[in-house]
Amino acid sequence: MEIIIQPDARAAASMAARFFTQTIRRQPSAVLGLATGSTPLPLYRELVQKRLDWSSITTFNLDEYLGIGADHPQSYHCFMQENLFRHVNIDQGNIHIPDGLAENPEEHCGQFERGIQTAGGIDLQLLGIGSDGHIGFNEPSSSLASRTRIKTLTERTRLDNARFFGGAGLVPRHVITMGIGTILDSRKVVLLATGDHKADAVAGAVEGPVSAMNPASALQLHPHAVFCLDSAAASKLARVDYYNWVFQNKPSWQRLDED
Ligand code: PGA
C-alpha cells in the first residue's frame, strides 16, 4: 500500500484528484469507480475545474440507498449529478449507479456486476472510509469476498449520515453496494480520508490485521492501493515517518504527472 500524508484536507483531496486527472488524460476511455460523501467534494470540484474530456469515460458508483429514487435529493444519483456529472461532458449513458428502486434488487445487483465486467473492469476506484472502517457500504463483518448486493447499515453509519437526511431515523436502513471482492478487482484504488474522526479506522485499515471487522483492511490484499490522508486522519498511524520518507523518495517513474 502507498500511504500519502498531506498537511490538510484540501491538499489530500488534491493529491487524490491527481490520480484521476492522470488516468483521464492518459486513458480517455477509462472506467472509473466513484464514491459519494463529504470527503470527495473538494476532489470533484478540482476535477471539474480542470476541464478534462469525459466524453469516453465510463463510471460505476459504489452504492445507493435502497428505497429512494434517482430524483430524491439525498440519493447518490442526485449527489453525483450535482457535484460532478452536470459539470463535465460525460455521456449520461456511460454513468452507472445502482438503482435504489429496482423492481428486483437482487437481480439488479447481478446486472450491475455484469455491467462492470462488460465495461472491461474498473481502472481506478475512488473510496472513502466510514468511521467504522466501511468501504462502499460494506459494514464490519462484510465478507471480504462479497460482490454487489443488499446490505443493512449499522446504527453508527446511520448516525454519521443523519446530517444529510435531517435525522438518523430518516436514513434508509438498506443499501445496494459493490462488494469488497468487487472493489478488490479494480486495477487501482485510491482511498481518500480526512479528519480525526477517521483516524482509528485508517490506523486499523493500514496497520491492523486484515479483518472483516475493518473492511478497509482488505485493501492490504490489493496490489495497487493508495491512501491519501490529511495529517488528522493519519494521526493514529505508528509509522508516519516511514510513509513520508517513501513518498519523498519515490523513483521518478512512479511519480504522478505534474499539473
Ligand atoms: P464521508 O463518508 O466522506 O461523508 O465521511 C465516507 C464513507 O462513508 O465512505
Side-chain angles (χ1 to χ4, degrees):
M1 285 191 295
E2 189 178 351
I3 317 299
I4 304 177
I5 303 167
Q6 296 289 293
D8 55 41
R10 203 193 154 111
S14 246
M15 182 57 66
R18 285 171 67 183
F19 287 92
F20 282 83
T21 304
Q22 181 165 300
T23 299
I24 294 168
R25 286 196 178 133
R26 289 189 182 179
Q27 219 180 317
S29 302
V31 179
L32 303 180
L34 298 177
T36 54
S38 310
T39 314
L41 287 172
L43 180 153
Y44 290 144
R45 273 197 292 275
E46 203 157 307
L47 291 183
V48 168
Q49 278 162 9
K50 291 229 159 77
R51 308 187 76 79
L52 303 164
D53 181 10
W54 290 73
S55 57
S56 299
I57 296 287
T58 297
T59 64
F60 286 87
N61 262 77
L62 282 167
D63 44 21
E64 179 58 286
Y65 292 107
L66 198 59
I68 67 176
D71 55 354
H72 187 291
Q74 298 312 330
S75 72
Y76 289 160
H77 282 77
C78 262
F79 176 100
M80 290 307 302
Q81 287 297 337
E82 196 53 39
N83 295 299
L84 180 65
F85 296 146
R86 76 182 176 87
H87 306 287
V88 297
N89 66 336
I90 193 164
D91 178 341
Q92 294 284 322
N94 289 345
I95 296 170
H96 306 272
I97 305 176
D99 179 0
L101 291 182
E103 218 165 281
N104 183 338
E106 276 185 53
E107 197 176 294
H108 179 65
C109 292
Q111 283 163 359
F112 194 79
E113 283 280 331
R114 287 192 290 280
I116 295 173
Q117 277 161 24
T118 305
I122 292 173
D123 293 301
L124 179 60
Q125 174 69 57
L126 177 64
L127 296 176
I129 184 170
S131 59
D132 61 3
H134 71 217
I135 47 175
F137 270 137
N138 295 283
E139 299 284 30
S141 82
S142 289
S143 157
L144 301 186
S146 50
R147 314 301 308 187
T148 304
R149 69 216 183 290
I150 298 158
K151 285 293 288 177
T152 305
L153 295 180
T154 60
E155 280 311 299
R156 178 154 174 194
T157 297
R158 293 181 75 226
L159 280 173
D160 283 349
N161 290 357
R163 65 190 190 281
F164 300 116
F165 284 85
L170 300 173
V171 180
R173 287 196 153 74
H174 298 105
V175 292
I176 295 176
T177 181
M178 278 187 206
I180 297 175
T182 320
I183 292 168
L184 291 179
D185 282 350
S186 310
R187 291 185 187 91
K188 188 169 185 116
V189 173
V190 170
L191 184 148
L192 175 62
T194 56
D196 53 10
H197 60 302
K198 300 293 174 71
D200 285 318
V202 166
V206 174
E207 294 177 342
V210 174
S211 162
M213 297 320 289
N214 182 328
S217 68
L219 298 174
Q220 294 178 28
L221 300 170
H222 193 286
H224 298 289
V226 182
F227 280 62
C228 292
L229 309 172
D230 69 351
S231 50
S235 60
K236 298 213 170 150
L237 289 170
R239 306 200 65 184
V240 166
D241 290 347
Y242 174 65
Y243 307 136
N244 286 338
W245 190 90
V246 170
F247 183 63
Q248 281 150 16
N249 290 281
K250 267 172 149 344
S252 55
W253 58 269
Q254 260 189 354
R255 295 213 177 118
L256 280 163
D257 292 345
E258 287 305 324
D259 267 349

